[in-house]
Amino acid sequence: MTAFVLVPGAGGAAFYWHLVVRELERRGHEGIAVDLPSGDPDARLADYVDAVVAGADGRTGVVLVGSSLGGFSAPLACRPLQAVGLVLVNAMIPTPGETGGQWWENTGFEAAISGAAERDGRDLAADPDQRETMFHDVPPEVAQAVFERPFEQEDGIFADAWPGTWPDVPTRVVATRDDRFFPVEFQRRIARERLGTDPEEMAGGHLVALSRPVELVDLLIG
């Protein structure tokens, strides 16, 4: 049995992982989804890392899985949790000294998302709340369950420079081919530039834990 500590992205809701937790448990593994202090205007990067460690509830030797913004906090929890692996899923991959606020310009995010939308014939201006960008492949009933929950993301986590060096644990990068927010070609480039690796690719959009939980678990435990 492997214990997977599951770190959500913006909004910080453990609920994002509920289908993955169910599938991991069905297969005899443990999924521990953590809530992050995303609604706290005073919470900084260290507070997010502390929340991940606290959410593990004393477990060590875990595999950490970080989605999207979780790419900033999950790697920093590897040492205190004595992690045996790290998986980044459609994640922001930081470099030492870079803030979350700087990441967008440093990586060329705006050109990537705009270029992918233009290629696909989509109008980003017509999707101001990003529901089509984020939820286009999420089943309607699952998306509705998410929409019924409050979404809060304060900016404190974006202000702190990412400290230290990359954790010395086996690290995998997972990118989904249908991601409209972090297009797959963008993720390939960032993974190669920052970690010297090619991502493992699968079908699905940015919120793949909601749209394809079974396939994601196949990959996590594979």
Side-chain angles (χ1 to χ4, degrees):
M1 182 200 75
T2 300
F4 293 87
V5 176
L6 307 167
V7 184
F15 182 76
Y16 171 68
W17 294 105
H18 73 286
L19 299 175
V20 169
V21 170
R22 182 187 307 167
E23 185 64 18
L24 284 169
E25 291 176 348
R26 189 183 71 81
R27 303 194 199 189
H29 298 279
E30 189 175 18
I32 305 98
V34 301
D35 281 308
L36 301 176
S38 59
D40 181 354
D42 296 322
R44 304 295 288 262
L45 178 56
D47 299 305
Y48 282 64
V49 177
D50 288 346
V52 175
V53 174
D57 196 24
R59 298 171 182 84
T60 57
V62 303
V63 174
L64 276 153
V65 185
S67 173
S68 200
L69 180 56
F72 265 71
S73 55
L76 299 176
C78 284
R79 179 174 294 178
L81 293 180
Q82 301 174 34
V84 297
L86 171 65
V87 186
L88 302 170
V89 182
N90 294 332
M92 297 171 69
I93 300 175
T95 58
E98 178 180 65
T99 69
Q102 293 167 336
W103 184 91
W104 308 95
E105 182 175 356
N106 289 352
T107 58
F109 163 76
E110 287 293 344
I113 190 174
S114 298
E118 182 177 358
R119 178 197 64 208
D120 298 341
R122 292 181 285 107
D123 181 4
L124 290 176
D127 184 31
D129 60 4
Q130 296 187 325
R131 287 197 177 186
E132 278 301 310
T133 300
M134 295 288 197
F135 289 88
H136 62 97
D137 67 332
V138 176
E141 66 278 8
V142 177
Q144 185 58 38
V146 175
F147 299 154
E148 290 172 354
R149 293 170 171 265
F151 178 91
E152 296 179 293
Q153 182 57 63
E154 296 289 344
D155 293 337
I157 189 175
F158 296 102
D160 292 332
W162 199 76
T165 58
W166 203 258
D168 186 21
V169 299
T171 300
R172 302 164 64 193
V173 177
V174 176
T176 52
R177 291 186 290 271
D178 310 306
D179 193 335
R180 296 178 176 179
F181 189 60
F182 292 165
V184 66
E185 61 273 12
F186 169 75
Q187 295 198 59
R188 290 180 190 131
R189 175 173 60 81
I190 299 304
R192 290 166 183 163
E193 290 176 354
R194 298 186 167 210
L195 294 179
T197 190
D198 288 311
E200 302 170 50
E201 297 181 18
M202 60 176 288
H206 191 68
L207 304 180
V208 67
L210 296 174
S211 62
R212 294 179 180 266
V214 174
E215 294 92 330
L216 180 56
V217 170
D218 285 341
L219 191 149
L220 291 177
I221 68 176

